[in-house]
Amino acid sequence: MGNVTSIDASRPRALEFFAGIGLARMGLESAGFRVAWANDYEPDKKAMYDAQFGESDAQHFALGDVGKVVVDDLPRDVSLAWASSPCTDLSLAGNRAGLAGAQSGTFWHFIRLLDELKDDRPEVVVLENVIGLATSHGGDDLAAAIRAFNNLGYSVDVLSIDARRFVPQSRPRLFLVGAQNPPNDAPVPNSELRPDWLQWVYGDETLRTHRAALPAPPAPKTEGFGNEVEQMPLDDERWWDADRTESFVASLSPTQLDRVATMKRGTGVKYRTAYRRTRNGVPVWEVRADDISGCLRTARGGSSKQAVVRMGNKRLQVRWMTPREYARLMGAGDYDLTAARNNQALFGFGDAVAVPAVAWLAENYLLPLVNGEMKAQSTLSVKAV
């Protein structure tokens, strides 16, 4: 037991802002970090966090508004600060108020606390958010976030990573990696991680940025959702009844109906996901053509829950996606759901970041950066901005 404690103590420590149900922590700790402190304001998410990581961790979880956290609440001697700040004001499903919004604006409290840490600031900081941050207010919000990190002594790299590279769910996210001692790399500017629509960041001379040389991420998955479906009897009460299923089919467009009918007649069973959309003021269902889940969201973001459609052998059945399926699609298939209510779990996972995306970033970028395994730039001066 002492050996385990010694190994744990040797891991670089991290702060987990806007922790939610702890999926960022799962990814970071699988790569070798140790989360020493976490914060979120939602009791339901903390309850899930406690169930997953143990009640003994409660003392390290500051429940409440990040605006009320003071710098003395934070542990020192940490190497990384991670922030998955609320995306409601930035996502396409939200109100697009940007970083000035009531929820996404909590980012500035993260900046405030980093500022107040002064000489105890972590070597590396990460901001994770929806890709809408890159276009919010014509790019001004992203530039403002980078500039805020610059003013604290961090050079910033900006990456786009889709969870679909690791799990069968389309979930693109933006990751800002701030480094006090950025790597002195010169990788190919345009890559899978830094596509065309991000290149303006590196051409803006008012921003201090860098690009780390990283391995190519796994290719995006083209199938696999069916493997993550929770198996249940065909007479399980969670399958919709005949009337509700008939209404589902009746709402499909001719193209959608033809696709569903073909799979229904086929031999064997296929699974697809479906979203309820509003087209010309009328609610309709749309079934994905591929074996990939759409992006998991929450009702608070303006989107409906995702449904699972089972087709084949002349049979069609529909039901809501389960919390366990949400967990699997987030790379957290063994997450402890014993104490979570159904909607509580769906909200928790819908607001989170996919575990394997965090793990890949931590293993290939954050941990080497913290451990000094990336060649640092010869000058660490920050441009006046």
Side-chain angles (χ1 to χ4, degrees):
M1 200 59 189
N3 186 41
V4 173
T5 302
S6 176
I7 292 174
D8 190 59
S10 69
R11 294 182 169 201
R13 301 203 305 165
L15 307 176
E16 185 186 20
F17 288 83
F18 316 104
I21 62 174
L23 298 200
R25 171 177 174 169
M26 292 176 71
L28 292 172
E29 294 194 337
S30 73
F33 285 94
R34 177 167 62 97
V35 171
W37 179 91
N39 159 261
D40 203 278
Y41 74 100
E42 296 195 57
D44 277 353
K45 289 180 179 177
K46 183 182 184 297
M48 290 181 65
Y49 194 104
D50 290 346
Q52 173 67 18
F53 300 107
E55 289 292 341
S56 61
D57 260 22
Q59 60 182 318
H60 304 301
F61 194 114
L63 177 65
D65 183 352
V66 68
K68 296 181 180 179
V69 175
V70 297
V71 70
D72 289 341
D73 295 335
L74 304 179
R76 300 306 196 267
D77 191 25
V78 296
S79 302
L80 171 71
W82 180 285
S84 290
S85 62
C87 64
T88 307
D89 297 312
L90 298 168
S91 71
L92 294 176
N95 58 27
R96 302 309 294 270
L99 290 182
Q103 293 188 328
S104 299
T106 53
F107 162 77
W108 297 110
H109 289 295
F110 175 54
I111 293 296
R112 168 183 62 82
L113 290 166
L114 289 175
D115 183 31
E116 293 174 357
L117 278 171
K118 300 186 183 301
D119 294 338
D120 291 318
R121 284 175 203 147
E123 166 69 19
V124 179
V125 294
V126 177
L127 172 67
E128 177 266 329
N129 214 294
V130 294
I131 59 173
L133 175 58
T135 55
S136 180
H137 292 114
D140 288 350
D141 282 342
L142 177 55
I146 294 172
R147 218 168 260 122
F149 286 128
N150 287 168
N151 290 337
L152 296 178
Y154 297 99
S155 174
V156 178
D157 197 356
V158 187
L159 310 173
S160 172
I161 303 177
D162 193 337
R164 184 172 178 167
R165 296 181 180 277
F166 311 96
V167 292
Q169 180 202 171
S170 174
R171 194 178 189 84
R173 287 294 184 269
L174 209 62
F175 297 85
L176 277 64
V177 179
Q180 289 187 4
N181 297 289
N184 188 25
D185 294 336
V188 177
N190 191 318
S191 67
E192 294 179 89
L193 296 170
R194 305 177 186 92
D196 287 343
W197 48 270
L198 275 179
Q199 290 306 305
W200 67 269
V201 168
Y202 302 99
D204 188 332
E205 294 186 354
T206 69
L207 304 176
R208 184 183 178 214
T209 59
H210 66 274
R211 285 190 293 258
L214 300 171
K221 289 182 177 292
T222 58
E223 59 183 9
F225 170 70
N227 297 330
E228 307 300 336
V229 171
E230 187 175 359
Q231 298 301 313
M232 61 185 65
L234 299 183
D235 60 354
D236 190 289
E237 63 180 8
R238 285 171 289 185
W239 292 110
W240 295 351
D241 61 26
D243 289 343
R244 191 173 188 181
T245 303
E246 184 177 338
S247 295
F248 171 88
V249 173
S251 81
L252 300 175
S253 69
T255 300
Q256 293 270 324
L257 185 59
D258 182 63
R259 176 187 303 154
V260 168
T262 298
M263 286 189 281
K264 178 182 176 181
R265 290 193 303 265
T267 302
V269 174
K270 292 182 174 62
Y271 291 94
R272 294 291 186 267
T273 60
Y275 267 126
R276 188 166 47 200
R277 310 283 195 187
T278 299
R279 303 295 186 195
N280 299 317
V282 179
V284 298
W285 281 96
E286 295 182 356
V287 180
R288 282 187 70 103
D290 56 9
D291 188 26
I292 297 292
S293 165
C295 184
L296 301 181
R297 299 188 177 113
T298 69
R300 283 176 295 185
S303 297
S304 64
K305 295 183 293 185
Q306 209 159 167
V308 175
V309 187
R310 183 186 187 277
M311 296 164 287
N313 302 327
K314 299 181 179 179
R315 187 177 189 123
L316 181 147
Q317 290 181 276
V318 188
R319 61 170 172 78
W320 293 118
M321 192 178 287
T322 68
R324 181 57 62 196
E325 288 162 345
Y326 266 58
R328 291 173 179 173
L329 291 170
M330 294 298 285
D334 59 354
Y335 197 95
D336 188 337
L337 296 173
T338 54
R341 303 183 310 278
N342 189 78
N343 283 342
Q344 177 186 3
L346 299 185
F347 276 122
F349 287 109
D351 276 348
V353 58
V355 173
V358 177
W360 186 90
L361 185 68
E363 291 167 6
N364 292 285
Y365 198 164
L366 308 182
L367 197 61
L369 200 53
V370 164
N371 289 337
E373 297 168 4
M374 289 183 165
K375 185 179 179 182
Q377 291 181 5
S378 57
T379 175
L380 302 180
S381 61
V382 181
K383 292 179 182 179
V385 293

